[in-house]
């Protein structure tokens, strides 16, 4: 009662009460809304302000909503994409080099690939939108925030530099935050190649001793301003050696190979001047043999003509190293040390007594070991449990002594970490990376001599010791397809379907347009088949949409099927040209879907492979619309890959396209024999039934 | 005074709750490790290779399906030769309706496609990944929220749910 009496009688609150209420209100407010809207922080990125429009702060850290337009621009610049669905709890960013950064709503931990990190705050949902820790995200994308007086500069980094010595060739791969743009500063006869990466900083070690035949060392320096840094990477190779850009597998990666004098190297010349992105530098001419022997390629500008960089072959690269003869003096393991590395471990093995053959195995249960053949231990065996995030334990022992001594170094890895072998003058370092190796089971063999590894190609392999069958690659097998008899109402009629057309260009690469190539080949095929007595109907004979201009995919594809189905054709042949996002795939593929398609596809494919000289990608069953929805035997021929330099060169040749048409026509003959006499053809006629001579 | 004391007690209680929330709610809770098997297709277009990924702490059905689909679309790291979805492909959403996972894709995938060879291999890996999850037998692909017969300029048929037997 006294409370009410005080309140009512005084008519105004006592002096302590407003403060209490304010205190309570403040706490309640702080709980209900722990994140506060914040004026956009001054972020400078890629030459301009990055204005986060609806960011908040949590504990002083920037929280950015997943639908912030500035975040979208930031990610797009880095070639990254964000996938988030409010109905579930993950927000996953995929980087340009196919790493994933997985945030979980309500949990501070986030995964960068297989590595778990901790963010300053847990991502949260507010107003139906997920808010992510921006700095943690930026750093995972290899972008380093650097404070300046008036802004925080987001500096894209060259984040890693990997060196592989393969045979006598050294391959250096750099990974950047964004597409790496470089300028070649020098590539003189002294073997020094300097590349300046514009707008990119780096915190990598300034010097790295490679000690390979093709490359001796790498120096890194960072210059320019905070807002516009430049990282210069200088590769010191033997005078007269060769260097070339190699396919790096991702737009934010750059791979340069170095070969010593006398070792051929096939790749893409590094542009001599100007600024070229990796993407622009990729399709450059392959140097000729004479260029290769000079040790220097002709200068090329930024706008290099399209051609495919092909893989190099260094002598002995793919050849497994033979084991040391049993009669040779054994090599000795004279020292053995392990040391912490950046989120990994380096195990250094010192060897004395000459070259040694080795064989390493990655097992699916995260064990990794290397055997040094014809080697003996000159130090005590070790069996050590480690306090290390990457490696749980480490063992060194003499596996066998007589008649053939083998020393083994075995690691129990915490996760399937990538393990690299890096030679040094006195032996080899087994470098356990912070990244995981996704290939679950591998084997590699090679020799180590005077600080140089001659490695054979690691191969995915099922290993005897494998306890987990799940990791074995699963070969795909098709189930048998029932053959349903088809009696063609019009047994002399063949429908040819030139793939794409009109508003649908099909693939376009290297100056080639699929719809034009398919029409050209189909025209040639029509002529050949007509000359051999067949009636032929084309789904299109000019550059048009078959159903109607700008029609839907369904209407367009169904219209092509309808033409063949209504005409009661004996068979349906769809002509296409394949492509892929890189030049790595090539060859000819022939597809079928229904049981009745198979013999036709096989007959045509055999002739194609026999006459074209392309790689054989086989006869495959796929649920492609036009061979599914046609009732007669149907096949879809992917003649070659326009994305591959060699295949594209073939596709450009009219003579080769004529060969394609000839092979398909021969395959039709193998499948169906001669066309039936004209009397067996019903009233349905083709648009072309006049025999024309072969071109 | 009693009112003041009561308010102080309430305030202290609120403070305790608030700091308890700040200290414990944001702290990762230990979660038993769980993995999903994600597949990628080698460049031969045939061989599917499984690899295991550790899940984050969200283990509800939709979250797991979304996680697996996004990882399958991303593919393995760049040093592994694999047939990949076009760079820039986005997983908008993954819903689960009975035994069918409905995957809504977009981004670069909605642009005119690459060739047929990659197309079927991409979906093969996605379908195998999602059908490796308990209770999922088929996958319906949508493009920017719409069921489509094929990708734009594409070949592979997408208008019906895909299962492992579709390939």
């Amino acid at each position: 009662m006294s409370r009410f009496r005080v309140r009512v009688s005084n008519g105004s609150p006592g002096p302590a009460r407003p403060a209490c209420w304010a205190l309570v209100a403040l706490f309640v407010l702080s709980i209900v809304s722990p994140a506060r809207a914040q004026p956009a922080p001054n972020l400078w990125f890629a030459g301009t302000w990055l204005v986060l429009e609806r960011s908040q702060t949590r504990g002083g850290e920037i929280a950015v909503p997943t639908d912030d337009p500035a975040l979208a621009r930031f990610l797009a610049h880095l070639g990254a994409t964000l996938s988030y669905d409010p109905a579930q709890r993950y927000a996953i960013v995929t980087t340009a080099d196919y790493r994933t950064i997985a945030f979980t709503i309500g949990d501070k931990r986030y995964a960068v690939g297989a590595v778990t990190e901790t963010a300053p705050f847990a991502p949260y949902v507010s107003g139906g939108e997920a808010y992510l820790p921006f700095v943690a995200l930026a750093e995972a994308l290899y972008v380093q925030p650097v404070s300046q007086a008036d802004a925080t500069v987001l500096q894209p980094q060259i984040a890693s530099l990997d060196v592989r010595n393969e045979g006598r060739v050294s391959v250096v791969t750099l990974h950047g935050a964004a597409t790496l743009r470089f300028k070649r500063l020098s590539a003189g006869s002294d073997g020094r190649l300097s590349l300046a990466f514009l707008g990119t900083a780096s915190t990598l070690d300034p010097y790295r001793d490679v000690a390979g035949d093709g490359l001796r060392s790498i120096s890194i320096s960072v210059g320019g301003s905070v807002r516009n840094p430049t990282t210069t990477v200088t590769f010191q190779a033997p005078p007269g050696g060769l260097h070339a850009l190699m396919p790096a597998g991702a737009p934010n990666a750059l791979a340069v190979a170095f070969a010593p004098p006398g070792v051929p190297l096939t790749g893409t010349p590094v542009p001599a001047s100007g600024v070229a992105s990796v993407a622009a530098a990729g399709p450059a001419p392959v140097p000729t043999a004479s260029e290769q022997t000079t040790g220097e390629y002709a200068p090329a500008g930024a706008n290099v003509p399209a051609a495919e960089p092909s893989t190099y072959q260094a002598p002995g690269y793919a050849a497994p190293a033979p084991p040391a003869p049993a009669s040779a003096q054994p090599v000795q393991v004279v020292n053995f040390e392990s040391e912490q590395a950046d989120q990994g471990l380096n195990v250094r093995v010192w060897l004395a007594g000459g070259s040694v053959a080795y064989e390493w195995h990655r097992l699916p249960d995260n064990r990794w070991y290397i055997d040094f053949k014809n080697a003996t231990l000159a130090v005590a065996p070790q069996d050590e449990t480690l306090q290390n995030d990457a490696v749980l334990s480490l063992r060194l022992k003499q596996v066998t002594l007589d008649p053939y001594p083998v020393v083994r170094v075995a690691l129990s890895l915490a996760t399937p970490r990538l393990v690299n072998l890096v030679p040094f003058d006195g032996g080899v370092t087994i470098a356990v990376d912070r990244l995981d190796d996704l290939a679950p089971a591998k084997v590699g063999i090679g020799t180590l001599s005077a600080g140089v590894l001659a490695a054979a190609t690691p191969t995915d392999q099922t290993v005897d010791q494998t306890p987990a069958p799940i990791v074995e690659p699963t070969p795909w097998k098709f189930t048998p397809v029932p053959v349903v008899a088809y009696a063609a109402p019009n047994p002399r009629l063949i429908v040819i379907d030139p793939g794409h057309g009109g508003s649908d260009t099909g693939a376009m690469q290297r100056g080639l347009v699929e719809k034009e190539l398919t029409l050209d080949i189909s025209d040639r095929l029509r002529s050949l088949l007509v000359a051999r007595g067949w009636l032929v109907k084309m789904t299109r004979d000019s550059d048009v949409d078959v159903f109607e201009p700008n029609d839907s995919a369904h209407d367009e594809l169904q219209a092509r099927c309808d033409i063949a189905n209504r005409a009661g054709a004996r068979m349906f042949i769809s002509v296409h040209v394949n492509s892929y996002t890189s030049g790595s795939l090539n060859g000819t593929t022939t597809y079928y879907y229904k049981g009745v398609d198979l013999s036709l596809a096989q007959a045509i494919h055999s002739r194609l492979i026999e006459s074209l000289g392309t790689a054989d990608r086989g006869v495959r069953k796929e649920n492609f619309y036009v061979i599914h929805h046609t009732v007669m035997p149907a096949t879809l021929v992917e003649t070659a890959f326009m994305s591959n330099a060699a295949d594209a060169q073939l596709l450009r040749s009219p003579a080769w396209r004529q060969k394609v048409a000839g092979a398909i026509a021969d395959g039709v003959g193998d499948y169906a024999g001669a066309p039936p006499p004209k009397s067996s053809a019903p009233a349905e006629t083709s648009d072309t039934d006049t025999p024309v001579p072969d071109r | 005074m009693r009112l003041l004391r009561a308010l102080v007690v309430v305030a202290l209680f609120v403070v305790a709750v608030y700091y308890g929330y700040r200290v414990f709610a944001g702290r990762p809770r230990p979660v038993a490790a769980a993995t999903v098997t994600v597949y990628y297709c080698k460049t031969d277009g045939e061989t599917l290779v499984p690899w295991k990924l550790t899940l984050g702490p969200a283990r509800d059905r939709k979250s797991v399906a979304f996680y697996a689909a996004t990882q399958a679309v991303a593919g393995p790291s760049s040093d592994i030769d694999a047939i990949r979805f076009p760079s820039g492909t986005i997983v908008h959403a993954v819903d689960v309706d009975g035994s069918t996972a409905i995957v809504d894709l977009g981004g670069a995938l909605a642009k005119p496609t690459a060739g047929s060879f990659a197309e079927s291999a991409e979906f093969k890996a996605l379908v195998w990944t999602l059908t490796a999850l308990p209770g999922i037998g088929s996958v319906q692909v949508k493009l920017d929220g719409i069921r489509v017969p094929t990708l734009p300029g594409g070949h592979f048929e997408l208008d019906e749910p895909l299962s492992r037997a579709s390939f």
Side-chain angles (χ1 to χ4, degrees), chain A residues 366-381:
Chain A
N366 294 342
R367 282 181 295 149
W368 186 97
Y369 69 87
I370 183 168
D371 284 345
F372 296 102
K373 308 291 179 67
N374 196 30
T376 57
L377 268 185
V379 293

Side-chain angles (χ1 to χ4, degrees), chain A residues 106-108 122, chain B residues 19-29:
Chain A
D107 196 280
K108 283 185 176 182
Chain B
Y19 281 103
Y21 170 82
R22 292 295 296 266
V23 170
F24 294 108
R27 179 173 292 177
R29 300 167 193 84

Side-chain angles (χ1 to χ4, degrees), chain A residues 395-633:
Chain A
R395 290 171 298 285
L396 169 72
K397 65 178 179 181
Q398 186 83 51
V399 182
T400 59
L401 199 52
D402 278 328
Y404 189 67
V406 174
V407 170
R408 175 173 295 177
V409 179
L411 312 173
S412 291
L413 305 170
T415 56
R417 297 290 184 105
L418 192 63
V419 180
N420 296 307
L421 295 178
V422 184
F424 60 90
D425 280 345
V428 64
T429 299
I430 302 164
V432 180
D433 202 287
R434 64 189 177 88
L435 301 175
D436 280 359
D437 187 341
L438 295 182
K442 277 184 177 178
V443 173
I445 58 177
T447 55
L448 175 70
S449 177
V452 175
L453 285 178
T457 312
T459 52
D460 294 352
Q461 175 171 312
T462 304
V463 184
D464 289 344
Q465 299 92 326
T466 301
I470 187 68
V471 298
E472 296 176 17
T474 309
W476 190 271
K477 298 290 180 198
F478 291 127
T479 49
V481 182
V483 177
V484 179
Y486 169 76
N490 201 338
R492 284 187 66 217
L493 180 65
I494 297 172
V495 169
I496 301 173
D497 173 40
H500 310 279
S503 61
D504 173 13
T505 60
M508 291 196 294
Q509 288 200 44
R510 299 177 180 276
L512 298 171
V513 182
E514 185 179 2
K515 67 177 181 179
E516 295 171 1
L517 294 171
T518 59
L519 183 58
D520 178 88
I521 294 168
S522 297
D523 275 339
R524 295 168 189 274
L525 176 59
R526 170 171 61 180
S527 299
L528 291 174
L529 291 174
V530 168
R532 296 177 189 186
W534 292 95
L535 298 175
V536 174
K537 195 172 191 73
M538 304 271 280
T539 57
R540 67 179 178 96
D541 54 12
S542 61
D543 183 16
V544 293
D545 293 290
V546 172
F547 184 73
E548 64 182 20
N550 301 306
D551 51 6
S552 69
H554 176 267
D555 288 344
E556 175 69 14
L557 296 173
Q558 189 57 50
R560 293 168 189 253
C561 300
D562 289 345
I563 288 171
N565 292 341
R566 286 175 189 151
R570 170 84 174 269
M571 63 192 91
F572 176 90
I573 301 166
S574 190
V575 178
H576 286 253
V577 178
N578 227 328
S579 74
Y580 187 53
T581 49
S582 80
S584 58
L585 301 183
N586 64 343
T588 302
T589 323
T590 308
Y591 292 97
Y592 73 102
Y593 181 72
K594 310 180 295 292
V596 292
D597 301 342
L598 181 58
S599 326
L600 172 63
Q602 285 174 330
I604 289 176
H605 189 75
S606 295
R607 288 289 190 164
L608 287 167
I609 295 307
E610 192 179 286
S611 66
L612 298 187
T614 48
D616 181 359
R617 285 200 167 264
V619 176
R620 294 164 181 265
K621 180 188 177 220
E622 292 292 0
N623 186 7
F624 291 160
Y625 195 99
V626 292
I627 53 176
H628 181 180
H629 293 273
T630 39
V631 297
M632 68 289 302

Side-chain angles (χ1 to χ4, degrees), chain B:
Chain B
M1 280 306 289
R2 289 176 62 189
L3 172 64
L4 184 60
R5 274 201 302 273
L7 286 172
V8 169
V9 168
V10 168
L12 289 174
F13 177 73
V14 169
V15 169
V17 169
Y18 171 65
Y19 281 103
Y21 170 82
R22 292 295 296 266
V23 170
F24 294 108
R27 179 173 292 177
R29 300 167 193 84
V31 181
T35 58
V36 286
T37 301
V38 179
Y39 291 83
Y40 71 84
C41 192
K42 285 189 168 187
T43 51
D44 64 5
E46 287 192 7
T47 310
L48 287 168
V49 182
W51 88 98
K52 287 198 169 190
L53 286 174
T54 304
L55 270 171
R59 305 288 165 77
D60 60 285
R61 201 178 186 201
K62 279 187 183 179
S63 295
V64 171
F66 183 86
Y67 186 89
T70 309
Q71 297 287 359
V73 167
S77 62
S78 59
D79 59 335
I80 292 178
D81 282 338
I83 294 183
R84 302 170 183 282
F85 278 89
S87 181
T89 299
I90 294 170
V91 181
H92 291 311
V94 180
D95 203 356
V96 181
D97 181 9
S99 63
T100 301
I102 301 161
V103 184
D104 185 11
L105 302 172
L109 196 67
K111 296 171 186 165
T113 179
S116 60
F117 187 81
E119 214 178 295
S120 52
E122 292 157 7
F123 288 112
K124 194 181 290 181
L126 178 65
V127 167
W128 266 67
T129 297
L130 284 167
T131 54
L133 299 175
I136 294 180
S138 61
V139 178
Q140 175 66 63
V141 175
K142 289 184 175 179
L143 198 61
D144 290 332
I146 299 168
R147 272 172 71 156
V148 291
T150 65
L151 295 176
H155 316 73
F156 191 75
E157 198 167 344
L158 299 172
D159 49 3
E160 295 296 328
L162 302 168
S163 68
R164 293 187 176 194
S166 303
F167 298 93

